[in-house]
Every structure is written in C-alpha cells, then in structure tokens.
Amino acid sequence: MLQISEKDNKLFDMIVKFKMVPYDMVRKIYGSPWTTYNRIRKLTGRNYLQKVNHYIITLGEAGIAYLEEVRGITFEPLTKMTAEEVIWRWQKVYEIGSREYILPHFISCWDFKRETRNGNSEMSDKNKMLCVARGYGIYRISKEAAQKTISEFFTDIKEATTFGVEKFVVLCESKEKVEEFLAAEERIQNIGAKEINVLGYTQAGLKILDTIIGIPDYKEKILNSLPVAKTQSILKNTHGDFETEDRIIHIGAGDIAAKRRLQALKAVADKTIEIITLKGLEDRYKGLEAKIIALELSEFLKAVEYKDGENR
C-alpha cells in the first residue's frame, strides 16, 4: 500500500482548491525535479493522480476515495476537464487564486456555486465570476470582449449579489475595456453592489487586488499615513468611509459604486467629501463634487506595508 506523505496531502489540498494544478505548483511542493517526477509517477500509477494534459494534473479515483474516506473531504472534479473552454477558464481562475495574498482567502467559482446551492436555486453556469476571496467576487474582462459581453458582466454581478456577494473587483485586460466598462456602468441603475473596484489587469492592478483582498485594514493604514489622522477625531461609518466633524473621507481603489453613494450623501450632509485613491484611478469618481488626493502606487504600497513574494 502506498503511504501518503505530508507533501502528498499538501498537493491534494491544492487540487481540491483549484480542481487541477499545473506541474509548476507540484514542483514547488516536492522540491527537486527528480523527486517530483518519481512521486508523481507513483501517484499516477496507483491512480491517486491523473494527467489532464502534459502540464496539468488532477485527482484520480483512488485520490478522491482517499480524501473522502480518510480525511472526510468531498471532491467534485470538473466535467469535460480536457475541453479547451474549461482549461481556458481554469487558467484564469488559477492565475488569480494562486497569488500569495489571495490564496488563503480563495474559493473557486465552482466551489462557490456548490456551497451556495439551495434547492432549485444556484448561480448560473454562464456567470463569469472567477472566484470569491474575502467576500469579493472577482471578474476579468478580456481585451477581445464585445460590448454585449461587457453588459453581461453587470447581469452577472447582479446575480452574484443575490447569492450574498456584495463587493467586487473587475480586472480589465486593456485600457479600452476599462473605459467601456465605466461607460456601461453610467447607463445602468440599481446594480445592488456595495463596492465595484475597476482595475487594469497589469502588475500594478494585481498588486492593488492583493491589497484589497490580502490586507483587510488597508484603508486604516492609508488613513494613518496622512496628516488628518493625527489632527482630528475620526469615526468609520457603516459604508466603510471615515468621518470627521466637517469631512467624509473615502479611501478606495477605483470603487465606482462609491460614487453614487457619495453623491447621495453629499445631497443631505453638510460636509466636504475627500477621496483618497491612486493616480490613474481618478476618473472612477468623475462628476462627483469632491477633493481628490491621488497617491503614487509606491506611496500606496508603502503605506499598506505591501511586500512582494520574495520579501514576505
């Protein structure tokens, strides 16, 4: 009988989380290429693992049975896992979920759908949400997305809110798609989301995503880095904004849902609105009567104590 090791269980856990994993992750778990090769050969030979293609593996029948019988974990493999469209979607899910700041909080779209299934009610297979992490639904708009597809993202977001997801991050693969998404949002009412952060799918955008998900108190860290935090009494309101006697301070990474909320608040509150965001994201608050302070990305990351992988 094959003895399952601690590293084997770590690999199984990653497969449960992502449904499939690339060989790069396997090598990180086992270490040397030779050790990895030998162990995967033994595990596939006993059907604990199976190859999806030349660079992706998943659990085999023996691995699924082991998890259920020994560890009490139920694994639902992807259907049609070798299909091009399934692998394409899985790659996008994995690229986000495997980031160090995201991984501890990550639930794949497939597991989220399973966990929120309630009788005849379940999220549509057509919903393009990739995952949920710390309560945020994460979407990615490709640079080839047509206008009709961009409109469908709002339908997807509305549906996700009915399953308890109220905050979102939308990653756009090009500046043009950012602009198209923002224009579409202006035409749509009653989305129902409390927060929609619209970012570019760039290294900068991904670091901002890391911050939103992986540093829950990032807004407080930003606030404490500013002079206002040292001179006035500040309270946090139910919307996550900060208030002083004469100001409402919104700290956000391009949250377009905040604009309408702050516009409504401005109409009834005799307070100045101050927005602290990043340079390049000021247009997310276009049309709002407010003082905008735009931080450089380096200032933002320093204030929230962001650390790249090699420094974590």
Side-chain angles (χ1 to χ4, degrees):
M1 181 177 176
L2 184 66
Q3 185 71 31
I4 299 300
S5 70
E6 182 179 342
K7 289 184 177 180
D8 295 335
N9 275 313
K10 186 175 180 180
L11 173 59
F12 295 165
D13 288 342
M14 288 297 101
I15 295 175
V16 168
K17 186 176 280 285
F18 292 105
K19 303 298 185 182
M20 311 186 289
V21 297
Y23 273 89
D24 285 348
M25 174 174 276
V26 181
R27 282 193 289 269
K28 286 180 182 177
I29 291 172
Y30 288 104
S32 73
W34 183 246
T35 301
T36 302
Y37 171 78
N38 276 331
R39 194 58 184 168
I40 296 307
R41 181 174 57 83
K42 289 180 182 178
L43 290 168
T44 53
R46 302 291 183 89
N47 205 23
Y48 279 88
L49 298 175
Q50 63 172 311
K51 294 181 180 180
V52 177
N53 60 25
H54 68 282
Y55 74 96
I56 301 173
I57 62 172
T58 188
L59 290 174
E61 290 183 4
I64 294 171
Y66 164 80
L67 284 177
E68 188 158 354
E69 294 168 10
V70 177
R71 297 182 56 194
I73 297 172
T74 300
F75 176 72
E76 293 184 7
L78 296 178
T79 57
K80 300 180 181 179
M81 67 179 70
T82 59
E84 184 177 343
E85 65 272 16
V86 174
I87 290 179
W88 179 84
R89 182 173 176 81
W90 167 81
Q91 286 175 323
K92 292 187 179 310
V93 170
Y94 181 81
E95 285 171 12
I96 297 297
S98 60
R99 296 183 64 81
E100 285 189 63
Y101 275 98
I102 310 298
L103 184 60
H105 314 285
F106 166 88
I107 303 172
S108 73
C109 51
W110 305 290
D111 283 339
F112 178 79
K113 179 181 177 181
R114 176 178 56 82
E115 291 177 11
T116 56
R117 192 178 293 148
N118 182 17
N120 295 325
S121 175
E122 65 177 36
M123 197 164 72
S124 167
D125 288 334
K126 294 182 179 180
N127 195 302
K128 292 175 281 296
M129 187 167 70
L130 298 176
C131 60
V132 176
R134 204 172 62 79
Y136 285 82
I138 301 176
Y139 290 87
R140 178 173 164 183
I141 301 178
S142 75
K143 56 181 178 291
E144 295 87 11
Q147 187 63 53
K148 180 177 181 294
T149 303
I150 289 175
S151 297
E152 289 171 355
F153 276 93
F154 291 98
T155 303
D156 292 346
I157 287 172
K158 285 182 180 180
E159 182 188 31
T161 63
T162 68
F163 289 92
V165 183
E166 297 180 315
K167 299 181 289 185
F168 301 89
V169 178
V170 179
L171 300 164
C172 301
E173 291 184 3
S174 71
K175 185 177 180 180
E176 290 73 23
K177 296 308 164 187
V178 169
E179 292 170 353
E180 289 177 26
F181 187 87
L182 295 177
E185 190 272 341
E186 290 287 347
R187 300 190 297 268
I188 296 173
Q189 302 292 325
N190 301 320
I191 297 171
K194 290 183 177 179
E195 191 175 322
I196 306 176
N197 302 280
V198 185
L199 305 170
Y201 190 75
T202 61
Q203 285 302 312
L206 289 171
K207 288 181 179 181
I208 298 168
L209 170 68
D210 288 342
T211 300
I212 292 170
I213 304 301
I215 307 177
D217 61 342
Y218 83 92
K219 293 183 180 182
E220 284 81 0
K221 289 179 183 290
I222 292 289
L223 185 68
N224 290 334
S225 72
L226 300 172
V228 66
K230 303 175 179 65
T231 60
Q232 294 190 38
S233 175
I234 299 174
L235 297 175
K236 193 172 185 178
N237 65 26
T238 56
H239 299 294
D241 297 319
F242 301 94
E243 294 193 38
T244 69
E245 289 184 1
D246 59 351
R247 278 184 285 179
I248 297 169
I249 304 170
H250 169 75
I251 299 174
D255 174 14
I256 59 175
K259 183 171 76 171
R260 290 182 180 176
R261 182 183 75 245
L262 292 169
Q263 282 173 328
L265 199 56
K266 178 69 176 175
V268 298
D270 186 24
K271 290 187 177 184
T272 300
I273 293 177
E274 192 169 291
I275 293 170
I276 302 166
T277 188
L278 288 106
K279 285 190 176 177
L281 302 183
E282 299 97 324
D283 61 341
R284 310 304 194 262
Y285 307 97
K286 184 179 177 181
L288 177 63
E289 185 184 340
K291 176 185 176 182
I292 297 180
I293 299 172
L295 304 176
E296 295 285 356
L297 179 63
S298 58
E299 293 178 272
F300 176 87
L301 296 178
K302 181 180 179 180
V304 302
E305 301 173 347
Y306 181 93
K307 293 179 174 62
D308 286 307
E310 62 269 19
N311 297 318
R312 292 197 72 196

